[in-house]
mmCIF file of all heavy atoms in Angstrom:
data_model
loop_
_atom_site.group_PDB
_atom_site.id
_atom_site.type_symbol
_atom_site.label_atom_id
_atom_site.label_comp_id
_atom_site.label_asym_id
_atom_site.label_seq_id
_atom_site.Cartn_x
_atom_site.Cartn_y
_atom_site.Cartn_z
ATOM 1 N N LEU A 1 300.234 37.438 55.663
ATOM 2 C CA LEU A 1 298.902 37.920 55.979
ATOM 3 C C LEU A 1 298.921 39.434 55.885
ATOM 4 O O LEU A 1 299.976 40.056 56.122
ATOM 5 C CB LEU A 1 298.466 37.530 57.393
ATOM 6 C CG LEU A 1 297.883 36.154 57.668
ATOM 7 C CD1 LEU A 1 297.606 35.995 59.167
ATOM 8 C CD2 LEU A 1 296.616 35.918 56.861
ATOM 9 N N ARG A 2 297.767 40.010 55.561
ATOM 10 C CA ARG A 2 297.640 41.449 55.634
ATOM 11 C C ARG A 2 296.505 41.803 56.579
ATOM 12 O O ARG A 2 295.350 41.418 56.351
ATOM 13 C CB ARG A 2 297.376 42.076 54.264
ATOM 14 C CG ARG A 2 297.458 43.612 54.333
ATOM 15 C CD ARG A 2 297.270 44.282 52.989
ATOM 16 N NE ARG A 2 295.860 44.423 52.622
ATOM 17 C CZ ARG A 2 295.393 45.367 51.806
ATOM 18 N NH1 ARG A 2 296.237 46.236 51.271
ATOM 19 N NH2 ARG A 2 294.124 45.414 51.495
ATOM 20 N N LEU A 3 296.844 42.529 57.617
ATOM 21 C CA LEU A 3 295.850 43.018 58.557
ATOM 22 C C LEU A 3 295.367 44.391 58.111
ATOM 23 O O LEU A 3 296.150 45.183 57.585
ATOM 24 C CB LEU A 3 296.429 43.110 59.961
ATOM 25 C CG LEU A 3 297.030 41.827 60.541
ATOM 26 C CD1 LEU A 3 297.473 42.076 61.982
ATOM 27 C CD2 LEU A 3 296.064 40.667 60.462
ATOM 28 N N SER A 4 294.086 44.633 58.361
ATOM 29 C CA SER A 4 293.503 45.923 58.045
ATOM 30 C C SER A 4 292.881 46.515 59.301
ATOM 31 O O SER A 4 292.393 45.788 60.168
ATOM 32 C CB SER A 4 292.423 45.782 56.968
ATOM 33 O OG SER A 4 292.965 45.260 55.771
ATOM 34 N N CYS A 5 292.904 47.828 59.370
ATOM 35 C CA CYS A 5 292.279 48.542 60.478
ATOM 36 C C CYS A 5 291.432 49.651 59.868
ATOM 37 O O CYS A 5 291.959 50.551 59.204
ATOM 38 C CB CYS A 5 293.337 49.112 61.414
ATOM 39 S SG CYS A 5 292.687 50.166 62.732
ATOM 40 N N SER A 6 290.146 49.570 60.117
ATOM 41 C CA SER A 6 289.215 50.576 59.618
ATOM 42 C C SER A 6 288.904 51.571 60.728
ATOM 43 O O SER A 6 288.583 51.182 61.848
ATOM 44 C CB SER A 6 287.935 49.895 59.147
ATOM 45 O OG SER A 6 286.971 50.846 58.772
ATOM 46 N N ALA A 7 289.016 52.861 60.413
ATOM 47 C CA ALA A 7 288.780 53.906 61.400
ATOM 48 C C ALA A 7 287.545 54.706 61.029
ATOM 49 O O ALA A 7 287.331 55.045 59.869
ATOM 50 C CB ALA A 7 289.981 54.828 61.498
ATOM 51 N N SER A 8 286.746 55.042 62.021
ATOM 52 C CA SER A 8 285.576 55.886 61.802
ATOM 53 C C SER A 8 285.505 56.896 62.923
ATOM 54 O O SER A 8 286.083 56.721 63.988
ATOM 55 C CB SER A 8 284.303 55.045 61.761
ATOM 56 O OG SER A 8 284.108 54.385 62.998
ATOM 57 N N GLY A 9 284.822 57.969 62.656
ATOM 58 C CA GLY A 9 284.696 58.993 63.677
ATOM 59 C C GLY A 9 285.363 60.286 63.242
ATOM 60 O O GLY A 9 285.077 60.807 62.177
ATOM 61 N N ARG A 10 286.265 60.754 64.058
ATOM 62 C CA ARG A 10 286.916 62.030 63.796
ATOM 63 C C ARG A 10 287.868 61.942 62.607
ATOM 64 O O ARG A 10 288.071 60.890 62.036
ATOM 65 C CB ARG A 10 287.670 62.500 65.039
ATOM 66 C CG ARG A 10 286.749 62.917 66.175
ATOM 67 C CD ARG A 10 287.530 63.263 67.420
ATOM 68 N NE ARG A 10 286.628 63.698 68.492
ATOM 69 C CZ ARG A 10 286.507 64.946 68.852
ATOM 70 N NH1 ARG A 10 287.209 65.885 68.258
ATOM 71 N NH2 ARG A 10 285.692 65.274 69.815
ATOM 72 N N THR A 11 288.465 63.057 62.278
ATOM 73 C CA THR A 11 289.349 63.149 61.129
ATOM 74 C C THR A 11 290.532 62.211 61.297
ATOM 75 O O THR A 11 291.446 62.453 62.072
ATOM 76 C CB THR A 11 289.862 64.588 60.948
ATOM 77 O OG1 THR A 11 288.752 65.451 60.884
ATOM 78 C CG2 THR A 11 290.690 64.689 59.680
ATOM 79 N N PHE A 12 290.507 61.145 60.555
ATOM 80 C CA PHE A 12 291.521 60.106 60.672
ATOM 81 C C PHE A 12 292.896 60.617 60.286
ATOM 82 O O PHE A 12 293.902 60.178 60.842
ATOM 83 C CB PHE A 12 291.098 58.943 59.778
ATOM 84 C CG PHE A 12 292.112 57.853 59.647
ATOM 85 C CD1 PHE A 12 292.363 57.005 60.708
ATOM 86 C CD2 PHE A 12 292.804 57.668 58.471
ATOM 87 C CE1 PHE A 12 293.292 55.991 60.601
ATOM 88 C CE2 PHE A 12 293.741 56.674 58.349
ATOM 89 C CZ PHE A 12 293.980 55.825 59.410
ATOM 90 N N SER A 13 292.964 61.534 59.372
ATOM 91 C CA SER A 13 294.257 61.954 58.862
ATOM 92 C C SER A 13 295.091 62.696 59.899
ATOM 93 O O SER A 13 296.279 62.904 59.692
ATOM 94 C CB SER A 13 294.087 62.821 57.618
ATOM 95 O OG SER A 13 293.306 63.958 57.907
ATOM 96 N N ASN A 14 294.502 63.099 61.029
ATOM 97 C CA ASN A 14 295.268 63.766 62.082
ATOM 98 C C ASN A 14 295.760 62.783 63.150
ATOM 99 O O ASN A 14 296.254 63.211 64.198
ATOM 100 C CB ASN A 14 294.419 64.840 62.761
ATOM 101 C CG ASN A 14 294.097 65.972 61.828
ATOM 102 O OD1 ASN A 14 292.939 66.379 61.707
ATOM 103 N ND2 ASN A 14 295.097 66.481 61.154
ATOM 104 N N TYR A 15 295.629 61.504 62.883
ATOM 105 C CA TYR A 15 295.966 60.502 63.867
ATOM 106 C C TYR A 15 297.192 59.703 63.442
ATOM 107 O O TYR A 15 297.234 59.142 62.348
ATOM 108 C CB TYR A 15 294.795 59.543 64.083
ATOM 109 C CG TYR A 15 293.703 60.132 64.923
ATOM 110 C CD1 TYR A 15 292.855 61.095 64.409
ATOM 111 C CD2 TYR A 15 293.549 59.755 66.250
ATOM 112 C CE1 TYR A 15 291.869 61.677 65.189
ATOM 113 C CE2 TYR A 15 292.564 60.310 67.032
ATOM 114 C CZ TYR A 15 291.724 61.268 66.504
ATOM 115 O OH TYR A 15 290.751 61.831 67.279
ATOM 116 N N ALA A 16 298.187 59.665 64.335
ATOM 117 C CA ALA A 16 299.255 58.695 64.166
ATOM 118 C C ALA A 16 298.691 57.331 64.561
ATOM 119 O O ALA A 16 297.889 57.232 65.483
ATOM 120 C CB ALA A 16 300.443 59.051 65.044
ATOM 121 N N MET A 17 299.126 56.300 63.841
ATOM 122 C CA MET A 17 298.562 54.970 64.045
ATOM 123 C C MET A 17 299.663 53.952 64.358
ATOM 124 O O MET A 17 300.822 54.104 63.931
ATOM 125 C CB MET A 17 297.809 54.528 62.795
ATOM 126 C CG MET A 17 296.688 55.466 62.384
ATOM 127 S SD MET A 17 295.370 55.580 63.615
ATOM 128 C CE MET A 17 294.729 53.904 63.568
ATOM 129 N N GLY A 18 299.266 52.927 65.075
ATOM 130 C CA GLY A 18 300.229 51.882 65.411
ATOM 131 C C GLY A 18 299.589 50.520 65.449
ATOM 132 O O GLY A 18 298.360 50.398 65.531
ATOM 133 N N TRP A 19 300.420 49.507 65.360
ATOM 134 C CA TRP A 19 300.022 48.127 65.564
ATOM 135 C C TRP A 19 300.811 47.569 66.746
ATOM 136 O O TRP A 19 302.027 47.772 66.848
ATOM 137 C CB TRP A 19 300.319 47.275 64.326
ATOM 138 C CG TRP A 19 299.394 47.508 63.173
ATOM 139 C CD1 TRP A 19 299.589 48.316 62.102
ATOM 140 C CD2 TRP A 19 298.116 46.885 62.977
ATOM 141 N NE1 TRP A 19 298.530 48.254 61.251
ATOM 142 C CE2 TRP A 19 297.603 47.373 61.765
ATOM 143 C CE3 TRP A 19 297.350 45.970 63.696
ATOM 144 C CZ2 TRP A 19 296.353 46.984 61.264
ATOM 145 C CZ3 TRP A 19 296.127 45.574 63.200
ATOM 146 C CH2 TRP A 19 295.649 46.080 61.990
ATOM 147 N N PHE A 20 300.081 46.889 67.611
ATOM 148 C CA PHE A 20 300.670 46.208 68.758
ATOM 149 C C PHE A 20 300.199 44.761 68.740
ATOM 150 O O PHE A 20 299.242 44.423 68.045
ATOM 151 C CB PHE A 20 300.245 46.888 70.061
ATOM 152 C CG PHE A 20 300.843 48.257 70.232
ATOM 153 C CD1 PHE A 20 300.339 49.352 69.543
ATOM 154 C CD2 PHE A 20 301.918 48.443 71.091
ATOM 155 C CE1 PHE A 20 300.908 50.616 69.695
ATOM 156 C CE2 PHE A 20 302.482 49.705 71.257
ATOM 157 C CZ PHE A 20 301.972 50.784 70.554
ATOM 158 N N ARG A 21 300.850 43.925 69.536
ATOM 159 C CA ARG A 21 300.408 42.548 69.629
ATOM 160 C C ARG A 21 300.600 42.031 71.047
ATOM 161 O O ARG A 21 301.446 42.545 71.796
ATOM 162 C CB ARG A 21 301.160 41.655 68.639
ATOM 163 C CG ARG A 21 302.646 41.508 68.905
ATOM 164 C CD ARG A 21 303.308 40.738 67.757
ATOM 165 N NE ARG A 21 304.733 40.530 68.003
ATOM 166 C CZ ARG A 21 305.570 40.013 67.103
ATOM 167 N NH1 ARG A 21 305.112 39.633 65.893
ATOM 168 N NH2 ARG A 21 306.842 39.847 67.404
ATOM 169 N N GLN A 22 299.813 41.035 71.382
ATOM 170 C CA GLN A 22 299.920 40.433 72.703
ATOM 171 C C GLN A 22 299.745 38.929 72.587
ATOM 172 O O GLN A 22 298.692 38.460 72.130
ATOM 173 C CB GLN A 22 298.888 41.016 73.668
ATOM 174 C CG GLN A 22 299.067 40.560 75.095
ATOM 175 C CD GLN A 22 298.246 41.364 76.074
ATOM 176 O OE1 GLN A 22 297.279 42.058 75.695
ATOM 177 N NE2 GLN A 22 298.607 41.313 77.334
ATOM 178 N N ALA A 23 300.774 38.210 72.980
ATOM 179 C CA ALA A 23 300.734 36.744 73.000
ATOM 180 C C ALA A 23 300.306 36.288 74.392
ATOM 181 O O ALA A 23 300.470 37.026 75.373
ATOM 182 C CB ALA A 23 302.105 36.188 72.653
ATOM 183 N N PRO A 24 299.763 35.080 74.504
ATOM 184 C CA PRO A 24 299.333 34.579 75.815
ATOM 185 C C PRO A 24 300.461 34.611 76.838
ATOM 186 O O PRO A 24 301.577 34.168 76.566
ATOM 187 C CB PRO A 24 298.900 33.141 75.504
ATOM 188 C CG PRO A 24 298.520 33.161 74.074
ATOM 189 C CD PRO A 24 299.448 34.137 73.422
ATOM 190 N N GLY A 25 300.163 35.165 78.003
ATOM 191 C CA GLY A 25 301.142 35.220 79.071
ATOM 192 C C GLY A 25 302.205 36.274 78.920
ATOM 193 O O GLY A 25 303.147 36.335 79.717
ATOM 194 N N ARG A 26 302.059 37.123 77.897
ATOM 195 C CA ARG A 26 303.065 38.148 77.660
ATOM 196 C C ARG A 26 302.411 39.531 77.637
ATOM 197 O O ARG A 26 301.206 39.669 77.440
ATOM 198 C CB ARG A 26 303.784 37.907 76.338
ATOM 199 C CG ARG A 26 304.500 36.557 76.287
ATOM 200 C CD ARG A 26 305.365 36.423 75.063
ATOM 201 N NE ARG A 26 306.465 37.385 75.053
ATOM 202 C CZ ARG A 26 307.404 37.430 74.125
ATOM 203 N NH1 ARG A 26 307.366 36.566 73.111
ATOM 204 N NH2 ARG A 26 308.362 38.324 74.175
ATOM 205 N N GLU A 27 303.226 40.540 77.827
ATOM 206 C CA GLU A 27 302.720 41.908 77.783
ATOM 207 C C GLU A 27 302.500 42.342 76.337
ATOM 208 O O GLU A 27 303.118 41.811 75.413
ATOM 209 C CB GLU A 27 303.713 42.865 78.473
ATOM 210 C CG GLU A 27 303.845 42.639 79.960
ATOM 211 C CD GLU A 27 304.710 43.704 80.617
ATOM 212 O OE1 GLU A 27 305.281 44.532 79.895
ATOM 213 O OE2 GLU A 27 304.798 43.689 81.853
ATOM 214 N N ARG A 28 301.636 43.346 76.184
ATOM 215 C CA ARG A 28 301.415 43.901 74.856
ATOM 216 C C ARG A 28 302.706 44.566 74.382
ATOM 217 O O ARG A 28 303.354 45.283 75.132
ATOM 218 C CB ARG A 28 300.278 44.914 74.903
ATOM 219 C CG ARG A 28 299.812 45.378 73.559
ATOM 220 C CD ARG A 28 298.520 46.200 73.668
ATOM 221 N NE ARG A 28 297.423 45.406 74.225
ATOM 222 C CZ ARG A 28 296.163 45.823 74.252
ATOM 223 N NH1 ARG A 28 295.850 47.011 73.751
ATOM 224 N NH2 ARG A 28 295.230 45.073 74.767
ATOM 225 N N GLU A 29 303.066 44.327 73.133
ATOM 226 C CA GLU A 29 304.316 44.889 72.623
ATOM 227 C C GLU A 29 304.093 45.629 71.314
ATOM 228 O O GLU A 29 303.188 45.318 70.535
ATOM 229 C CB GLU A 29 305.359 43.783 72.416
ATOM 230 C CG GLU A 29 304.998 42.751 71.367
ATOM 231 C CD GLU A 29 306.134 41.756 71.115
ATOM 232 O OE1 GLU A 29 307.162 41.812 71.802
ATOM 233 O OE2 GLU A 29 305.961 40.918 70.220
ATOM 234 N N PHE A 30 304.948 46.583 71.098
ATOM 235 C CA PHE A 30 304.919 47.401 69.886
ATOM 236 C C PHE A 30 305.330 46.578 68.678
ATOM 237 O O PHE A 30 306.261 45.760 68.759
ATOM 238 C CB PHE A 30 305.869 48.581 70.053
ATOM 239 C CG PHE A 30 306.141 49.358 68.805
ATOM 240 C CD1 PHE A 30 305.176 50.211 68.285
ATOM 241 C CD2 PHE A 30 307.360 49.241 68.149
ATOM 242 C CE1 PHE A 30 305.434 50.938 67.131
ATOM 243 C CE2 PHE A 30 307.622 49.960 67.001
ATOM 244 C CZ PHE A 30 306.656 50.813 66.496
ATOM 245 N N VAL A 31 304.642 46.788 67.569
ATOM 246 C CA VAL A 31 304.984 46.116 66.319
ATOM 247 C C VAL A 31 305.428 47.137 65.263
ATOM 248 O O VAL A 31 306.526 47.029 64.719
ATOM 249 C CB VAL A 31 303.788 45.303 65.773
ATOM 250 C CG1 VAL A 31 304.129 44.696 64.400
ATOM 251 C CG2 VAL A 31 303.385 44.224 66.760
ATOM 252 N N ALA A 32 304.571 48.120 64.990
ATOM 253 C CA ALA A 32 304.879 49.102 63.943
ATOM 254 C C ALA A 32 304.026 50.336 64.158
ATOM 255 O O ALA A 32 302.960 50.266 64.786
ATOM 256 C CB ALA A 32 304.629 48.514 62.561
ATOM 257 N N ALA A 33 304.474 51.467 63.614
ATOM 258 C CA ALA A 33 303.717 52.707 63.723
ATOM 259 C C ALA A 33 303.970 53.568 62.501
ATOM 260 O O ALA A 33 304.996 53.424 61.819
ATOM 261 C CB ALA A 33 304.109 53.463 64.997
ATOM 262 N N ILE A 34 303.035 54.487 62.246
ATOM 263 C CA ILE A 34 303.133 55.341 61.080
ATOM 264 C C ILE A 34 302.601 56.724 61.426
ATOM 265 O O ILE A 34 301.614 56.861 62.153
ATOM 266 C CB ILE A 34 302.368 54.727 59.890
ATOM 267 C CG1 ILE A 34 302.610 55.507 58.601
ATOM 268 C CG2 ILE A 34 300.883 54.600 60.192
ATOM 269 C CD1 ILE A 34 302.130 54.770 57.351
ATOM 270 N N SER A 35 303.250 57.746 60.921
ATOM 271 C CA SER A 35 302.809 59.115 61.138
ATOM 272 C C SER A 35 301.580 59.408 60.286
ATOM 273 O O SER A 35 301.323 58.717 59.294
ATOM 274 C CB SER A 35 303.926 60.091 60.787
ATOM 275 O OG SER A 35 304.256 59.977 59.406
ATOM 276 N N TRP A 36 300.830 60.468 60.648
ATOM 277 C CA TRP A 36 299.612 60.719 59.877
ATOM 278 C C TRP A 36 299.913 61.293 58.506
ATOM 279 O O TRP A 36 299.102 61.212 57.596
ATOM 280 C CB TRP A 36 298.614 61.566 60.645
ATOM 281 C CG TRP A 36 298.921 62.975 61.028
ATOM 282 C CD1 TRP A 36 299.258 63.439 62.265
ATOM 283 C CD2 TRP A 36 298.853 64.153 60.204
ATOM 284 N NE1 TRP A 36 299.411 64.799 62.275
ATOM 285 C CE2 TRP A 36 299.168 65.266 61.011
ATOM 286 C CE3 TRP A 36 298.558 64.381 58.862
ATOM 287 C CZ2 TRP A 36 299.191 66.571 60.530
ATOM 288 C CZ3 TRP A 36 298.579 65.683 58.372
ATOM 289 C CH2 TRP A 36 298.888 66.752 59.199
ATOM 290 N N SER A 37 301.101 61.842 58.350
ATOM 291 C CA SER A 37 301.503 62.330 57.028
ATOM 292 C C SER A 37 301.982 61.211 56.120
ATOM 293 O O SER A 37 302.243 61.438 54.936
ATOM 294 C CB SER A 37 302.629 63.342 57.175
ATOM 295 O OG SER A 37 303.802 62.681 57.604
ATOM 296 N N ASP A 38 302.118 60.006 56.678
ATOM 297 C CA ASP A 38 302.606 58.854 55.913
ATOM 298 C C ASP A 38 304.086 58.988 55.553
ATOM 299 O O ASP A 38 304.606 58.219 54.757
ATOM 300 C CB ASP A 38 301.773 58.651 54.632
ATOM 301 C CG ASP A 38 301.885 57.238 54.077
ATOM 302 O OD1 ASP A 38 302.339 56.343 54.827
ATOM 303 O OD2 ASP A 38 301.554 57.035 52.902
ATOM 304 N N GLU A 39 304.774 59.961 56.180
ATOM 305 C CA GLU A 39 306.188 60.161 55.865
ATOM 306 C C GLU A 39 307.099 59.220 56.626
ATOM 307 O O GLU A 39 308.142 58.805 56.122
ATOM 308 C CB GLU A 39 306.586 61.600 56.218
ATOM 309 C CG GLU A 39 305.959 62.661 55.354
ATOM 310 C CD GLU A 39 306.333 64.064 55.814
ATOM 311 O OE1 GLU A 39 306.964 64.188 56.890
ATOM 312 O OE2 GLU A 39 305.995 65.021 55.122
ATOM 313 N N ASN A 40 306.714 58.922 57.859
ATOM 314 C CA ASN A 40 307.609 58.181 58.747
ATOM 315 C C ASN A 40 306.963 56.924 59.293
ATOM 316 O O ASN A 40 305.779 56.917 59.630
ATOM 317 C CB ASN A 40 308.011 59.075 59.916
ATOM 318 C CG ASN A 40 308.783 60.298 59.440
ATOM 319 O OD1 ASN A 40 309.644 60.195 58.581
ATOM 320 N ND2 ASN A 40 308.459 61.453 59.997
ATOM 321 N N THR A 41 307.776 55.893 59.395
ATOM 322 C CA THR A 41 307.331 54.638 59.982
ATOM 323 C C THR A 41 308.393 54.107 60.930
ATOM 324 O O THR A 41 309.579 54.463 60.822
ATOM 325 C CB THR A 41 307.081 53.580 58.891
ATOM 326 O OG1 THR A 41 308.281 53.388 58.124
ATOM 327 C CG2 THR A 41 305.945 53.986 57.968
ATOM 328 N N GLY A 42 307.963 53.270 61.850
ATOM 329 C CA GLY A 42 308.888 52.649 62.787
ATOM 330 C C GLY A 42 308.477 51.209 63.030
ATOM 331 O O GLY A 42 307.285 50.876 62.947
ATOM 332 N N TYR A 43 309.455 50.364 63.324
ATOM 333 C CA TYR A 43 309.200 48.945 63.500
ATOM 334 C C TYR A 43 309.975 48.385 64.697
ATOM 335 O O TYR A 43 311.080 48.842 65.004
ATOM 336 C CB TYR A 43 309.620 48.167 62.239
ATOM 337 C CG TYR A 43 308.853 48.536 61.008
ATOM 338 C CD1 TYR A 43 309.306 49.540 60.159
ATOM 339 C CD2 TYR A 43 307.663 47.893 60.689
ATOM 340 C CE1 TYR A 43 308.602 49.892 59.027
ATOM 341 C CE2 TYR A 43 306.942 48.233 59.550
ATOM 342 C CZ TYR A 43 307.420 49.240 58.732
ATOM 343 O OH TYR A 43 306.708 49.596 57.618
ATOM 344 N N ALA A 44 309.378 47.381 65.295
ATOM 345 C CA ALA A 44 310.125 46.620 66.293
ATOM 346 C C ALA A 44 311.221 45.835 65.584
ATOM 347 O O ALA A 44 311.043 45.419 64.429
ATOM 348 C CB ALA A 44 309.181 45.665 67.033
ATOM 349 N N ASP A 45 312.314 45.634 66.265
ATOM 350 C CA ASP A 45 313.427 44.900 65.649
ATOM 351 C C ASP A 45 312.997 43.497 65.212
ATOM 352 O O ASP A 45 313.500 42.982 64.203
ATOM 353 C CB ASP A 45 314.589 44.792 66.634
ATOM 354 C CG ASP A 45 315.297 46.109 66.842
ATOM 355 O OD1 ASP A 45 315.131 47.025 65.998
ATOM 356 O OD2 ASP A 45 316.007 46.240 67.842
ATOM 357 N N SER A 46 312.094 42.907 65.939
ATOM 358 C CA SER A 46 311.677 41.524 65.661
ATOM 359 C C SER A 46 310.913 41.386 64.355
ATOM 360 O O SER A 46 310.795 40.285 63.817
ATOM 361 C CB SER A 46 310.837 40.984 66.820
ATOM 362 O OG SER A 46 309.691 41.787 67.010
ATOM 363 N N VAL A 47 310.375 42.498 63.831
ATOM 364 C CA VAL A 47 309.582 42.414 62.603
ATOM 365 C C VAL A 47 310.190 43.210 61.459
ATOM 366 O O VAL A 47 309.696 43.146 60.323
ATOM 367 C CB VAL A 47 308.126 42.875 62.834
ATOM 368 C CG1 VAL A 47 307.500 42.130 63.993
ATOM 369 C CG2 VAL A 47 308.044 44.378 63.051
#
């Protein structure tokens, strides 16, 4: 699957972005993140 996130409002390019997820009965957890320069990314070990 490919998830998309559309941003509107202020200058998007100055924002670091992330994806999180929450399963029933569990806390929200980090999935992935990306710097606004698109240079750096990070991932949870599970993904």
